[in-house]
Amino acid sequence: MSNLFPTYNKKTINFQNGKGTYLYDAENKKYLDFLSGIAVCNLGHCHPKIVDALQKQVESIWHVSNLFTIHKQEELADLLVKSFNDGLVFFCNSGTEANEAAIKLARKHSGKFHFISFKQSFHGRTFGSMAATGQSKIHEGYGEMLSGFTYVPYNDLNALMDEINENTGAIILEVIQGEGGVIVGNNDFFEGIQALCKKHELLLIVDEVQTGVGRTGTMFAYEQTPLNPDIITLAKGLGNGFPVGAMIGKKKFATTFSTGAHGSTFGGNYLAMSAAFETINMINDLTFLESVKEKGEYLFNKLNEMKIEFPQITEIRGKGLMVGIELNNPVEKLVELLLDNGLIVGTAGANVLRLLPPLNLSYKEIDEAISIIKKAFSFYFLDSKVH
């Protein structure tokens, strides 16, 4: 009997080692990891540069608190604001914390407490970020949510316009709704949002927790859109597996988040900064990011070829190496079948397989994944006569 709360439906596999795009269980069975800890290990498992940086840091100093200067915070912040001009950074430990900070900052700065979010969005599981999440299943059983949030259909500009009033202070969105089904926002929608923010003096928060750190082929996904956010949030891939989050806001917010306005005991500690600095230093490179786009295109092409053989695939969507495969029936058993065949994938709703491989994977590894997917689909849809 486990002494853990049963908050996760855990598989019995116990991974012992990881290297690059592969994981190895207690029986030394090899798995191709196309989930990356849910978009976390963007440079694969145990990247030597990150391992080296952490080993050196462990032997020197771990924690002193944010009452003292930590130079690595300054160095990492300098790297991050290269892709977010005119920015200031607050470091925390997770995406939920980053979104909580963003909500607090936007409320305090605007003095308004009505925010607009989107149906099927996901922003976290603490009360502020949970209230920002447009999924009733996340809210169920917890009583009254933090007030002030309205949810409108994604990619529906008219619905959004109808909800703006004199008390509206901000809009929060994901460029691609990850947990909601890998739903990609269209640029007409984003152009409209940007125009509305300007017209009504609304703050724009872009949640880049899953889409950021190179996942879509640019450092931040919003860079491929007409959006000009006031605040963005990061986590997941930021530390390549080491817990770290960040909120980046424009310098105009400096007087809003002044001394004592917000804090984090562990945020920005030496170990997290060492892991994140090495990660960002490698990913925030034009050649590397271009390779993510090229590999993403290769993967999309391979998957789209499969649609001819498997009409059960209704849509392939996403961007870069964030991919959703929507099927016309539930995917839970397919996930298990793929796992049995040595491929780890995720889901995004009942009918969507989600692929989030490391960004530095090889074309050979993409081909290997496609081969496993074809084999599993053939058995599931053809041999077993599932329709």
Side-chain angles (χ1 to χ4, degrees):
M1 180 70 179
S2 174
N3 289 318
L4 298 174
F5 274 106
T7 52
Y8 292 95
N9 184 21
K10 296 190 180 213
K11 304 186 189 310
T12 57
I13 298 170
N14 179 15
F15 293 115
Q16 300 291 305
N17 294 289
K19 190 70 174 176
T21 314
Y22 295 96
L23 285 167
Y24 302 84
D25 67 15
E27 285 72 46
N28 206 35
K29 180 179 176 180
K30 183 179 180 180
Y31 297 81
L32 183 61
D33 187 1
F34 263 52
L35 187 57
S36 304
I38 315 178
V40 168
C41 299
N42 283 6
L43 293 172
H45 299 281
C46 297
H47 191 287
K49 286 189 178 180
I50 301 171
V51 169
D52 184 58
L54 281 169
Q55 285 177 336
K56 288 176 179 176
Q57 193 63 61
V58 163
E59 293 170 355
S60 57
I61 187 170
W62 295 16
H63 180 80
V64 297
S65 90
N66 281 303
L67 299 176
F68 299 93
T69 298
I70 299 173
H71 285 297
K72 212 70 173 180
Q73 289 184 1
E74 299 287 350
E75 293 173 2
L76 177 56
D78 286 346
L79 286 183
L80 290 173
V81 299
K82 285 181 180 178
S83 296
F84 188 91
N85 294 330
D86 189 39
L88 296 173
V89 184
F90 175 84
F91 289 113
C92 50
N93 308 290
S94 67
T96 287
E97 289 178 53
N99 284 328
E100 288 283 344
I103 292 164
K104 286 180 66 174
L105 177 59
R107 275 192 164 205
K108 193 167 190 284
H109 187 83
S110 69
K112 297 180 179 181
F113 310 114
H114 175 239
F115 284 20
I116 298 175
S117 179
F118 295 92
K119 294 179 179 180
Q120 295 306 115
S121 61
F122 183 83
H123 299 291
R125 292 186 182 272
T126 50
F127 262 92
S129 59
M130 189 163 62
T133 295
Q135 297 190 51
S136 59
K137 68 179 182 181
I138 303 297
H139 303 164
E140 289 170 1
Y142 295 102
E144 187 177 346
M145 290 289 105
L146 178 70
S147 63
F149 285 92
T150 297
Y151 316 109
V152 300
Y154 196 60
N155 278 325
D156 188 337
L157 193 62
N158 289 328
L160 173 61
M161 291 171 64
D162 289 343
E163 295 297 336
I164 296 173
N165 60 55
E166 67 275 9
N167 298 313
T168 306
I171 296 169
I172 181 169
L173 61 83
E174 302 156 275
V175 173
I176 302 173
Q177 292 186 321
E179 303 299 323
V182 193
I183 307 300
V184 182
N186 65 63
N187 277 347
D188 287 343
F189 178 58
F190 293 144
E191 282 180 4
I193 287 177
Q194 199 62 55
L196 289 171
C197 286
K198 183 177 181 180
K199 178 180 178 180
H200 297 281
E201 297 183 339
L202 307 178
L203 298 177
L204 178 61
I205 304 167
V206 176
D207 180 338
E208 292 267 8
V209 170
Q210 189 165 152
T211 56
V213 194
R215 174 57 56 185
T216 66
T218 48
M219 186 59 189
F220 308 130
Y222 83 83
E223 294 178 278
Q224 299 177 55
T225 75
L227 296 173
N228 181 24
D230 298 284
I231 302 167
I232 66 171
T233 55
L234 302 172
K236 288 192 179 287
L238 184 56
N240 206 62
F242 200 97
V244 57
M247 178 197 69
I248 310 177
K250 292 188 174 177
K251 288 182 179 177
K252 66 183 179 182
F253 298 123
T255 54
T256 305
F257 255 21
S258 55
T259 303
H262 194 49
S264 172
T265 297
F266 297 108
N269 72 77
Y270 286 93
L271 292 169
M273 294 298 94
S274 295
F277 180 83
E278 292 301 328
T279 300
I280 297 302
N281 205 32
M282 285 184 273
I283 289 177
N284 199 7
D285 172 83
L286 289 177
T287 301
F288 182 92
L289 292 170
E290 190 60 35
S291 76
V292 174
K293 290 180 183 178
E294 291 168 356
K295 290 171 187 174
E297 185 177 358
Y298 183 81
L299 176 57
F300 270 89
N301 288 339
K302 292 288 185 180
L303 290 170
N304 277 309
E305 289 172 7
M306 286 179 57
K307 288 177 69 176
I308 300 169
E309 186 177 356
F310 302 102
Q312 295 86 356
I313 299 173
T314 60
E315 189 177 11
I316 311 291
R317 56 179 179 260
K319 192 171 289 187
L321 288 169
M322 182 176 182
V323 183
I325 307 170
E326 184 169 7
L327 302 171
N328 60 10
N329 54 297
V331 298
E332 183 179 355
K333 291 182 180 178
L334 257 178
V335 171
E336 294 297 330
L337 184 57
L338 288 164
L339 191 61
D340 290 343
N341 282 275
L343 179 66
I344 304 167
V345 302
T347 61
N351 287 24
V352 179
L353 293 173
R354 182 167 35 158
L355 308 184
L356 299 162
L359 307 182
N360 57 346
L361 83 168
S362 67
Y363 287 97
K364 182 179 179 182
E365 289 164 344
I366 294 174
D367 289 340
E368 182 182 353
I370 292 295
S371 177
I372 295 171
I373 293 170
K374 283 183 176 179
K375 178 182 177 183
F377 277 33
S378 292
F379 175 81
Y380 190 70
F381 291 120
L382 303 180
D383 295 348
S384 62
K385 306 301 180 187
V386 175
H387 298 287

